[in-house]
Amino acid sequence: QQPVQSPQAVILREGEDAVINCSSSKALYSVHWYRQKHGEAPVFLMILLKGGEQKGHEKISASFNEKKQQSSLYLTASQLSYSGTYFCGTELNTDKLIFGTGTRLQVFP
Amino acid sequence: EPEVTQTPSHQVTQMGQEVILRCVPISNHLYFYWYRQILGQKVEFLVSFYNNEISEKSEIFDDQFSVERPDGSNFTLKIRSTKLEDSAMYFCASRATGAGELFFGEGSRLTVL
């Protein structure tokens, strides 16, 4: 049931773009995206629901392909503050949000 | 801005001892969760709690673990007899609806010696 994330790590220069992918083998009700900085709690970025509803921060965009059970997080014009580990979380219409193994993003000046 | 608060921030205990981790979820939230994260690894689901009962639990959440909402504000995780492998950061989270974003607390670091 654990979603699979790719890539495992990304290194960027400020201003560059990145895409992080998340896939599941089961039909999803929702996909969540969170960012965690070292030593801190995960922070909500985006939720995408079955049926097309989305909610999240303005500067973050993501997609959810319900047929393929895949989601992608798009980080454009990256800033130093984007550095951290990104986790996708998936729910199968139960009250159980399972996180993937994470994608470590490092942005350098 | 309302936040989830957790105590203690760090607890050191001897193997075999009981530990209680406490959480105060956001006041109008109805769904409560415990996750744990072993250093450098992923965030693992332990248990979800709604309407004063467990909704879902993972295979990690065995008989050594229990959760309780003893009053209208606190949500606790008890580990009855700690093992070395229980050493981790434990995060409490809450949300207003069953389909919304999770709000995480800052975590309680448990070290079992």
Side-chain angles (χ1 to χ4, degrees):
Chain A
Q1 188 181 343
Q2 178 186 314
V4 177
Q5 284 185 238
S6 64
Q8 290 185 325
V10 181
I11 298 175
L12 296 175
R13 292 280 182 195
E14 262 187 303
E16 292 181 338
D17 302 338
V19 180
I20 301 173
N21 301 301
C22 175
S23 65
S24 172
S25 59
K26 303 205 175 197
L28 299 175
Y29 174 74
S30 69
V31 179
H32 295 225
W33 287 96
Y34 291 77
R35 177 173 59 216
Q36 185 180 34
K37 293 187 179 284
H38 183 70
E40 300 181 8
V43 173
F44 171 79
L45 296 175
M46 173 76 72
I47 182 171
L48 305 102
L49 297 168
K50 185 178 175 180
E53 185 180 349
Q54 294 188 5
K55 176 187 170 187
H57 294 288
E58 290 177 1
K59 295 186 178 180
I60 300 288
S61 65
S63 64
F64 178 22
N65 186 323
E66 293 176 35
K67 284 186 179 178
K68 294 184 177 179
Q69 294 99 51
Q70 292 175 347
S71 177
S72 294
L73 182 71
Y74 305 98
L75 301 169
T76 56
S78 58
Q79 304 170 16
L80 295 176
S81 61
Y82 287 12
S83 293
T85 301
Y86 289 76
F87 291 99
C88 74
T90 55
E91 285 187 292
L92 309 180
N93 204 24
T94 62
D95 194 19
K96 187 177 181 181
L97 180 66
I98 304 295
F99 288 98
T101 50
T103 296
R104 183 169 295 184
L105 178 75
Q106 290 180 284
V107 181
F108 290 97
Chain B
E1 186 174 324
E3 58 181 20
V4 176
T5 57
Q6 290 185 239
T7 54
S9 56
H10 188 193
Q11 181 156 356
V12 181
T13 190
Q14 294 291 324
M15 191 169 57
Q17 294 296 304
E18 176 183 284
V19 162
I20 297 177
L21 305 178
R22 291 181 168 79
C23 170
V24 179
I26 294 173
S27 62
N28 63 340
H29 285 187
L30 301 175
Y31 296 79
F32 313 116
Y33 306 85
W34 283 101
Y35 286 83
R36 79 171 187 191
Q37 186 176 36
I38 295 169
L39 187 64
Q41 297 186 25
K42 64 176 180 171
V43 180
E44 297 178 292
F45 172 83
L46 291 178
V47 66
S48 57
F49 191 87
Y50 169 72
N51 201 25
N52 284 320
E53 60 183 26
I54 291 174
S55 314
E56 297 280 348
K57 60 183 180 179
S58 71
E59 55 278 2
I60 302 169
F61 195 88
D62 61 20
D63 292 344
Q64 292 300 314
F65 290 87
S66 63
V67 289
E68 197 175 37
R69 193 148 191 253
D71 53 43
S73 58
N74 289 287
F75 178 51
T76 62
L77 174 70
K78 182 193 288 187
I79 309 174
R80 286 192 184 81
S81 178
T82 49
K83 307 183 185 84
L84 295 176
E85 55 264 37
D86 292 328
S87 295
M89 181 71 91
Y90 288 80
F91 290 106
C92 174
S94 69
R95 59 182 174 181
T97 69
E101 64 186 270
L102 288 182
F103 290 81
F104 283 86
E106 291 299 310
S108 292
R109 180 170 297 283
L110 176 64
T111 302
V112 182
L113 302 176

